[in-house]
Amino acid sequence: MNLSFFDQFTSPHLLGIPLILLSMLFPTLLIPSPDNRWITNRLSTLQSWCISLITKQLMTPLNKNGHKWALILTSLMILLLSINLLGLLPYTFTPTTQLSMNMALAFPLWLATLLTGLRNQPSASLGHLLPEGTPTPLIPALILIETTSLLIRPLALGVRLTANLTAGHLLIQLISTASTALLSIMPAISILTTIILLLLTILEVAVAMIQAYVFVLLLSLYLQENI
């Protein structure tokens, strides 16, 4: 029984075809068809408005030099948002519940922000390891602590996204299993559990959106420290 709860984190197959491939075709509906006009319908208008809003929110903490990263950060935000929301559909698989994928996204981007700072302003970037006014006896320990804090950032990004999505999916599975088991024994309790499940699903949709935003926002803040 315990193992079956974690089966949802493996990609399901139907007739030998991974269903994740079918779900990945859904975002192609968002690609506008070729036309002489930029905006051809209401879906394109909504899509352009969302992308503009996301870009504006991500670029607000950054100065002008950081705006070069707008395309990368906005694309990453849309990717994570699409994957997290598609993973809530039945019989699909959420790749962002895998720590390996999240680390593959977090580590290179964090390293890019760090190398950007070391290349453009090495003194200021290294200065973050030792705050001004630190007592002399505490300097070695503080440098070690700040270095550890710096190196643990990509791990924190990956673990945060993985843990939040995994916990939500497990909770939904536990409550849905309880609701099904109680249906024949205590129908009233089962209906109440189903209502809780619907509310939890709405909450999980919000969590999927918020976690994608937090992941990219923290990367933009790391970038701001190094430009």
Side-chain angles (χ1 to χ4, degrees):
M1 177 63 70
N2 291 334
L3 292 178
S4 64
F5 288 145
F6 293 92
D7 288 344
Q8 61 176 311
F9 300 116
T10 60
S11 181
H13 290 71
L14 180 62
L15 301 178
I17 302 174
L19 295 183
I20 183 63
L21 298 179
L22 298 178
S23 65
M24 288 175 65
L25 296 177
F26 178 76
T28 57
L29 299 176
L30 302 176
I31 300 177
S33 57
D35 197 273
N36 294 330
R37 295 175 296 173
W38 280 101
I39 298 177
T40 57
N41 51 40
R42 294 180 180 179
L43 180 61
S44 298
T45 304
L46 179 62
Q47 181 181 351
S48 300
W49 177 79
C50 290
I51 292 175
S52 176
L53 180 63
I54 291 172
T55 306
K56 185 183 298 183
Q57 291 294 326
L58 293 177
M59 294 299 106
T60 298
L62 301 178
N63 56 29
K64 191 173 181 179
N65 293 330
H67 292 178
K68 302 174 185 177
W69 290 64
L71 181 60
I72 296 177
L73 295 179
T74 305
S75 301
L76 178 62
M77 174 73 181
I78 296 174
L79 172 67
L80 291 177
L81 193 59
S82 301
I83 291 176
N84 292 350
L85 293 178
L86 286 173
L88 294 174
L89 297 176
Y91 302 106
T92 56
F93 168 67
T94 313
T96 45
T97 56
Q98 308 298 313
L99 183 61
S100 57
M101 175 178 175
N102 295 334
M103 290 300 299
L105 292 173
F107 184 77
L109 291 171
W110 165 82
L111 186 61
T113 62
L114 183 62
L115 294 179
T116 299
L118 292 175
R119 184 189 65 179
N120 296 335
Q121 45 179 16
S123 299
S125 297
L126 295 176
H128 288 109
L129 302 179
L130 186 63
E132 187 177 355
T134 304
T136 304
L138 296 179
I139 288 178
L142 197 57
I143 290 178
L144 182 61
I145 293 172
E146 291 295 333
T147 303
T148 304
S149 175
L150 178 66
L151 296 178
I152 208 172
R153 282 179 174 180
L155 180 62
L157 283 175
V159 170
R160 182 187 296 107
L161 183 59
T162 302
N164 281 283
L165 294 181
T166 302
H169 284 59
L170 282 176
L171 196 55
I172 288 177
Q173 172 127 5
L174 287 170
I175 295 180
S176 61
T177 303
S179 178
T180 305
L182 293 173
L183 185 60
S184 58
I185 304 174
M186 293 179 285
I189 302 298
S190 178
I191 293 174
L192 179 61
T193 308
T194 304
I195 295 175
I196 296 175
L197 178 62
L198 293 176
L199 295 176
L200 182 62
T201 304
I202 297 174
L203 177 63
E204 191 62 21
V205 171
V207 168
M209 299 172 66
I210 291 171
Q211 289 304 317
Y213 175 70
V214 168
F215 187 94
V216 183
L217 180 63
L218 288 175
L219 278 175
S220 67
L221 293 178
Y222 298 159
L223 177 62
Q224 176 60 29
E225 292 182 359
N226 293 284
I227 57 175

